[in-house]
Amino acid sequence: MAYNGSGVQDMSNNKFKILTVDTDIKAQRRLSELLTGEGYKVISAASDAETVLLLKSHMPDIVISELLPPGTDGLRFIGRITEITDAPIIILSSETDGNIKAAALDAGASDYVTKPYCEAELSARIRMCLRNSRAFRNSDGSSFKSRTLTVDYRARRVFSGEREVKLTQNEYNILALLTAESGKMLTYREIIKAVWGDYPDSGSIKKLQVNIANIRKKLGGADLIKNQAGVGYRADDGSAKQD
């Protein structure tokens, strides 16, 4: 691991993925610019449901979230994240009550930073969390397995039987999202937003359909991805399981 001139470990070239969760668009943009400037890959969510989708499709290395996304109980929200991933969670909140901080940490958060935060301090806390995380230790991640298909989420690799399937980034993200939610029908809108973000143009569904067709072709015609016309897609295999 390289070090910069101040003796701090330099993680800027490792392309760790960070999921930020915040309903304040300006705050979200400021944080994204900070993290992107430090070399991290940033994906963003603004709700509980969107967070769950992005956690399962992108497998971030760390989550930075406000304490109370609308419509959720903050502590249960933290618990929901820990059910999906072992990535460290840093809570950003203007709440300074010590009991709330303690409750957030007990619920599964790795760290708690109060707003307004010092950018240098937040960056240092991110590095500390990464040093202690499975992602930094390069441990194995979870995977989806069926009779014919294996999706290794951590390594972002796909196998059809013994053959490795080469997918584009978007194709992989779509397949990872569908297999992580195996058996659940995901709407066109949910998939498009999780993979491409907010693109309301009329060609988005067509773009999705083209990618689905390419995935099916590369998987050798395996009948894994089911379509409900006018609704969406689901990954459906009776023997599928997730580790």
Side-chain angles (χ1 to χ4, degrees):
M1 179 65 64
Y3 287 78
N4 62 25
S6 63
V8 176
Q9 285 185 331
D10 181 6
M11 299 183 180
S12 62
N13 293 321
N14 287 279
K15 297 301 181 184
F16 286 105
K17 287 179 290 182
I18 299 181
L19 171 61
T20 64
V21 185
D22 202 324
T23 55
D24 184 329
I25 302 302
K26 290 184 178 179
Q28 182 93 267
R29 185 179 300 116
R30 175 193 173 199
L31 179 58
S32 179
E33 289 174 352
L34 169 65
L35 299 175
T36 300
E38 294 189 352
Y40 298 110
K41 179 179 179 180
V42 181
I43 50 178
S44 302
S47 69
D48 186 359
E50 190 176 4
T51 298
V52 170
L53 286 176
L54 292 178
L55 281 172
K56 292 183 175 181
S57 62
H58 289 268
M59 296 294 289
D61 299 301
I62 191 168
V63 179
I64 303 178
S65 175
E66 65 174 329
L67 182 60
L68 289 169
T72 70
D73 176 288
L75 300 182
R76 290 186 179 181
F77 179 65
I78 294 172
R80 178 69 175 120
I81 294 175
T82 63
E83 290 174 358
I84 300 170
T85 179
D86 61 359
I89 305 167
I90 296 178
I91 296 298
L92 290 181
S93 175
S94 56
E95 180 56 66
T96 59
D97 186 292
N99 291 326
I100 293 179
K101 289 183 180 180
L105 295 171
D106 286 340
S110 303
D111 204 348
Y112 189 110
V113 178
T114 55
K115 298 178 181 180
Y117 56 84
C118 168
E119 293 185 353
E121 179 186 357
L122 177 60
S123 296
R125 288 176 181 265
I126 291 171
R127 291 193 295 270
M128 179 184 69
C129 284
L130 285 171
R131 281 195 295 268
N132 295 327
S133 72
R134 283 184 60 189
F136 187 71
R137 296 197 303 269
N138 197 31
S139 298
D140 292 335
S142 59
S143 63
F144 170 93
K145 296 179 181 179
S146 72
R147 289 188 302 269
T148 59
L149 180 71
T150 299
V151 182
D152 184 334
Y153 298 127
R154 181 64 66 185
R156 293 179 68 86
R157 299 177 72 186
V158 177
F159 295 87
S160 178
E162 298 298 320
R163 175 179 63 90
E164 183 167 5
V165 180
K166 298 298 184 181
L167 301 177
T168 67
Q169 179 175 313
N170 286 334
E171 289 166 358
Y172 172 82
N173 288 340
I174 292 168
L175 182 62
L177 177 63
L178 291 173
T179 54
E181 295 280 2
S182 178
K184 178 181 178 181
M185 179 65 65
L186 297 180
T187 66
Y188 299 133
R189 175 62 178 164
E190 287 174 322
I191 300 170
I192 290 167
K193 188 170 184 180
V195 176
W196 288 284
D198 284 310
Y199 289 96
D201 59 281
S202 58
S204 294
I205 293 178
K206 179 62 177 178
K207 185 193 305 182
L208 173 60
Q209 291 171 333
V210 169
N211 277 270
I212 291 288
N214 289 338
I215 294 169
R216 286 171 167 162
K217 182 177 180 180
K218 290 180 180 181
L219 293 180
D223 191 24
L224 173 75
I225 302 176
K226 307 291 186 179
N227 173 234
Q228 183 173 336
V231 180
Y233 295 95
R234 74 171 184 273
D236 185 23
D237 190 299
S239 63
K241 64 180 181 179
Q242 284 181 278
D243 294 338

